[in-house]
Amino acid sequence: ATGGGPRVVFGRKAQLLAEDLCIRFGAREPRLAFKDMGGLSVGSDAETVALLRRKGVITVDPVLAERIEKGRSIMAHGPAEVSLRAAGALACRRVAEALVRRGEEVTCVEVWRYLDLIVKDSYYRKVKEMEAREESQAAKEEKISEIKEEEAPKNKSLMEGVWGPEVKHHITQDTCHY
């Protein structure tokens, strides 16, 4: 992506492969127990950026916010998309730094994976709630309640208190402010 400036490469798929191989096979295959996993870049997918926006970590100017909220596309590889992706990656790094200052041993990649789990968990709960709505009215209320209690993200307290000003970003149509 260029965003009108220097070329920025988001090589996430190759890095995801390395992460997955290390996580899945690193314990039993020394050649896949990569020691530099913390140096990989973090995910900057639309879902992670949306979650960070909901948490107030990334803010966008009103014109861009309206465009996003109305579901209108932004220019692929344009300034807004590049800024949003870069802000998402930097936010994960800053959240990790804030957690390390609190005494947690965590990398920015682990923060991104955690946020990705929250996004997937939220999607899973929405699907389950839609299925529950199709059931009888009496069973619906009970099932939605069970889903919300049982499927809450684990280690929720890990991220509490790290959404402070040191990790926040503001995105305009043309640039990202850190």
Side-chain angles (χ1 to χ4, degrees):
T2 62
R7 182 173 164 80
V8 177
V9 178
F10 293 105
R12 262 324 275 159
K13 289 184 181 181
Q15 291 186 42
L16 282 172
L17 175 62
E19 287 173 37
D20 290 342
L21 288 171
C22 183
I23 289 167
R24 176 70 176 94
F25 301 109
R28 62 181 165 175
E29 175 53 63
R31 293 177 297 172
L32 297 176
F34 307 125
K35 305 292 184 226
D36 56 355
M37 294 301 292
L40 295 178
S41 68
V42 297
S44 56
D45 52 47
E47 295 81 9
T48 301
V49 170
L51 174 65
L52 291 167
R53 281 190 63 223
R54 282 194 305 275
K55 293 289 188 182
V57 175
I58 296 174
T59 58
V60 297
D61 72 6
V63 174
L64 182 57
E66 180 181 4
R67 182 172 199 82
I68 293 169
E69 298 306 320
K70 288 185 175 180
R72 297 196 319 244
S73 63
I74 58 175
M75 186 173 70
H77 311 294
E81 181 194 14
V82 171
S83 292
L84 285 165
R85 287 176 174 265
L90 184 57
C92 288
R93 182 166 302 283
R94 289 186 174 170
V95 167
E97 290 167 355
L99 288 168
V100 167
R101 284 192 300 273
R102 271 189 7 191
E104 301 285 342
E105 289 186 31
V106 65
T107 67
C108 58
V109 172
E110 291 169 324
V111 168
W112 173 75
R113 283 201 173 257
Y114 178 79
L115 295 176
D116 191 52
L117 287 174
I118 291 173
V119 168
K120 287 182 172 112
D121 182 67
S122 174
Y123 175 77
Y124 173 78
R125 278 188 276 133
K126 285 179 185 174
V127 168
K128 288 296 189 181
E129 287 173 10
M130 287 173 40
E131 289 172 357
R133 286 187 187 102
E134 294 173 0
E135 296 177 2
S136 70
Q137 186 64 29
K140 174 181 135 183
E141 302 264 337
E142 182 179 331
K143 188 161 187 167
I144 289 174
S145 177
E146 288 174 10
I147 290 167
K148 286 183 179 180
E149 289 175 18
E150 293 176 1
E151 299 298 330
K154 295 179 176 102
N155 299 320
K156 187 176 176 183
S157 63
L158 176 70
M159 300 303 282
E160 288 178 16
V162 299
W163 308 115
E166 71 273 7
V167 299
K168 297 194 178 206
H169 310 286
H170 178 73
I171 308 292
T172 65
Q173 289 268 45
D174 302 314
T175 188
C176 179
H177 304 281
Y178 305 102

